[in-house]
Amino acid sequence: MRVGRDWRFWVATCFGLGLSPLAPGTAGALVGVAIFAATRLWAPPEWTTPILLLSLLAFCWLNHLLTPYAVRRWKNGDPSQFVLDEVAGYLMTVLLFRGGPDLAATLLLTFVLTRLMDVLKIPPARQFERLPGSWGIVLDDLMSSLYAVGLLWLLRWYFPSLFA
């Protein structure tokens, strides 16, 4: 299989970010950060929700579509190089929590907490990971994002200056 011409390889690894030797999921999630940052910077505010929702749905669909390829290619039920689920997880976080006017603080806090919750896999996220196929790959990330959103709202409530 020729990697150079195989679009599935490049999409599944988010253009090679999933090949990072250190924290490939974290590297891959940066695609979600770029989508959110671009949306906040250049799209009209009323387009933010539709863009983020469509992006989330697209990454979930691609995750479902490419899971058989990724499992076969890397011979693992949830290959670390396959990072579409991390992008979907980050997009879920920013869809449900937009932060405040300080984009840099919002990007940093949403990214760190989303990744932290994905690494910790608080139940039932860990149990979702055991579901077969693409469901197990993506649902744990989406559940972890809900935990991140909860923490972000608490932070905003108790420390509003973090997002000002």
Side-chain angles (χ1 to χ4, degrees):
M1 185 177 323
R2 292 183 53 141
V3 170
R5 295 181 184 220
D6 194 348
W7 67 270
R8 298 172 300 176
F9 176 85
W10 296 109
V11 172
T13 62
C14 286
F15 306 101
L17 291 172
L19 302 176
S20 170
L22 183 65
T26 299
L30 291 172
V31 170
V33 174
I35 291 168
F36 178 58
T39 302
R40 281 275 304 263
L41 289 171
W42 297 307
E46 63 272 12
W47 290 14
T48 302
T49 297
I51 289 170
L52 292 176
L53 180 59
L54 287 173
S55 298
L56 170 61
L57 293 173
F59 275 91
C60 288
W61 177 74
L62 286 167
N63 178 81
H64 177 71
L65 180 71
L66 294 177
T67 290
Y69 162 80
V71 168
R72 202 172 44 251
R73 181 165 199 324
W74 287 289
K75 297 172 181 40
N76 185 316
D78 188 357
S80 62
Q81 301 88 340
F82 187 56
V83 293
L84 299 174
D85 52 324
E86 276 78 20
V87 178
Y90 181 79
L91 291 169
M92 171 77 94
T93 300
V94 294
L95 180 64
L96 300 174
F97 182 85
R98 304 290 162 68
D102 185 347
L103 180 58
T106 298
L107 290 171
L108 178 65
L109 289 167
T110 56
F111 183 71
V112 168
L113 287 177
T114 299
R115 295 305 305 140
L116 178 64
M117 291 297 103
D118 186 36
V119 169
L120 293 177
K121 298 223 187 297
I122 299 168
R126 173 111 17 236
Q127 288 75 15
F128 287 159
E129 190 176 42
R130 296 183 191 128
L131 292 171
S134 64
W135 291 110
I137 291 174
V138 77
L139 286 179
D140 68 300
D141 293 88
L142 298 179
M143 184 70 227
S144 295
S145 292
L146 294 178
Y147 288 123
V149 168
L151 285 173
L152 287 159
W153 280 107
L154 284 172
L155 281 173
R156 187 172 183 175
W157 178 267
Y158 288 108
F159 307 101
S161 61
L162 286 174
F163 302 95

